[in-house]
Structures are given as structure tokens and as C-alpha cells.
Amino acid sequence: NAGVMQNPRHLVRRRGQEARLRCSPMKGHSHVYWYRQLPEEGLKFMVYLQKENIIDESGMPKERFSAEFPKEGPSILRIQQVVRGDSAAYFCASSTAATNEKLFFGSGTQLSVL
Amino acid sequence: GENVEQHPSTLSVQEGDSAVIKCTYSDSASNYFPWYKQELGKGPQLIIDIRSNVGEKKDQRIAVTLNKTAKHFSLHITETQPEDSAVYFCAAETYKYIFGTGTRLKVLA
């Protein structure tokens, strides 16, 4: 049973370009979370999605950032017109249910904006 | 909003000694408290968790205690080994998971 799969592992973009980060949850998991981590810092909640629904996006900037989790295919975190401050590690995690269930993380995508 | 505080931010112990990391949370509706270990360049790995109807849970050298009244929970690692060196995160969950700021544990050989 494969774990949470994220790709790419490393992504380099120039300022103004778009970044698309992909996350395939564990088999049987229908809840996906995205977190952002700066060096030497903790995990900051960005967005929580179920299939085809955004449940909570309170941690995601209103502009340039969007997330989706379609009925088929991976969850996508999209960052438009990237700026240097977007450079960070972005982690996806998945679980089977909304509450009281184990959360499993992927290996992350390291985004570097030049 | 929800908040989880974690202490200490760094912790150095001699191999074989015990390590204790403490967290407090603000949302009394939180019912699930996992702990994660993150090694350099990797994603966080779940190492132990506890639910609000339990006061203590142990798994070999790792134990977690929960005091719901005081909104405190702690991670205890006994007989520490160099491979325990990593960053440890606590979290509190209602429907989303809020993480502490992390503790960098160094086990000195």
C-alpha cells in the first residue's frame, strides 16, 4: 500500500511563473490537507479538502493560491505568479475521515523561487 | 483561533537519558493528539497518538500523557538513542490538525 505521494520533490520557478504541486493520498483516504513549512519552522495549515470540496481554506492566502481535489486524480495546490516569499516546503497529508483519525504525510515538495 | 504551544524548542540529552516534550492547546473541542518525528529532508512521520478518552499510552520507549482539564499533553522518550535525533511536532485535532512549533532533539553519544 503506497503512502502519500507528492510530486515533484523539487520545483524551481522564476518569479511570475506558476507552480503546480500534486498530491495523491493513500488508498482509501478521501481527506487531504496541505501544509507549508519554512526552514527551522513548524507546519502551517493551509487548506483542508475532501473529494470535490474545499472544507477549510482559512490558512491559504486569498490571492494567487488555490487548491482542488477532483473526483478523479490527485489533489493540486496551485500558486500563480510566484514570488520569492513562496519558497518553502509544501507537505500534503491524508486521512480516512474528518476527525480522530491518523494523518499521514507525503515527502513534500520543495519549491524554490528564483 | 486554535493554537498549540510546544516546549522546549531545542533539547539536548545524553544517550540513554530520557527526553520530555510538552504541549498545550487552546481548543477544548480537540479530541485527538498525534506526535510526529521529522528527519532532515523528509516528511513528518506519525510515531504515537492519543485520544481524549485516554490519559496515557505507551509504545516501547515512547509514551504520551494527556491532561484534558489542563489542556496539556507530553511526549516521553526513554533510553534515548542517537537515531532519536530529529524534530518532533505535537498536534491537536478538531477537524483540522494544528501543529506545535517543533522541538529539535539532539541525542549526544
Side-chain angles (χ1 to χ4, degrees):
Chain A
N1 183 16
V4 179
M5 304 300 291
Q6 287 189 251
N7 66 82
R9 285 281 281 130
H10 301 277
L11 181 60
V12 179
R13 285 288 178 265
R14 296 191 179 280
R15 282 179 296 169
Q17 291 185 320
E18 178 180 287
R20 291 172 68 89
L21 288 61
R22 295 175 183 78
C23 169
S24 295
M26 286 180 70
K27 188 177 180 180
H29 287 195
S30 59
H31 299 252
V32 166
Y33 302 77
W34 285 92
Y35 288 84
R36 171 184 158 122
Q37 186 177 40
L38 293 170
E40 305 296 319
E41 293 191 10
L43 296 152
K44 299 294 186 186
F45 169 80
M46 296 182 72
V47 61
Y48 163 38
L49 311 105
Q50 292 181 33
K51 284 282 188 182
E52 301 183 276
N53 288 305
I54 297 175
I55 307 303
D56 185 330
E57 55 182 350
S58 59
M60 199 160 65
K62 294 283 187 285
E63 297 184 358
R64 302 190 298 107
F65 285 72
S66 63
E68 64 176 9
F69 188 18
K71 186 176 180 182
E72 301 291 338
S75 176
I76 305 288
L77 179 66
R78 183 183 179 201
I79 311 172
Q80 296 179 288
Q81 300 176 336
V82 296
V83 301
R84 288 214 173 108
D86 296 332
S87 296
Y90 292 84
F91 289 98
C92 167
S94 72
S95 69
T96 56
T99 60
N100 285 352
E101 289 299 328
K102 298 180 190 297
L103 187 68
F104 294 94
F105 279 84
S107 298
T109 293
Q110 180 64 52
L111 173 64
S112 298
V113 180
L114 304 179
Chain B
E2 309 94 327
N3 186 45
V4 176
E5 293 188 1
Q6 183 173 345
H7 299 281
S9 56
T10 60
L11 179 60
S12 292
V13 300
Q14 288 294 134
E15 182 178 359
D17 287 351
S18 295
V20 180
I21 302 170
K22 298 182 179 182
C23 289
T24 60
Y25 61 98
S26 61
D27 190 345
S28 57
S30 296
N31 281 318
Y32 175 63
F33 307 91
W35 285 88
Y36 288 83
K37 176 183 181 182
Q38 186 176 28
E39 296 175 320
L40 192 62
K42 297 184 179 181
Q45 275 194 304
L46 179 68
I47 56 171
I48 195 167
D49 57 7
I50 191 167
R51 290 184 166 77
S52 60
N53 58 344
V54 175
E56 184 173 354
K57 182 177 178 181
K58 191 173 181 180
D59 182 4
Q60 297 182 12
R61 297 187 296 109
I62 295 174
V64 58
T65 59
L66 171 65
N67 182 331
K68 274 219 84 174
T69 304
K71 297 183 191 172
H72 288 170
F73 58 115
S74 300
L75 177 72
H76 304 252
I77 306 174
T78 58
E79 301 173 23
T80 53
Q81 300 168 4
E83 52 265 38
D84 294 329
S85 296
V87 179
Y88 292 81
F89 291 98
C90 63
E93 184 262 345
T94 46
Y95 69 94
K96 65 184 181 186
Y97 299 76
I98 302 300
F99 284 80
T101 49
T103 296
R104 181 172 298 279
L105 174 64
K106 291 184 182 178
V107 179
L108 307 172

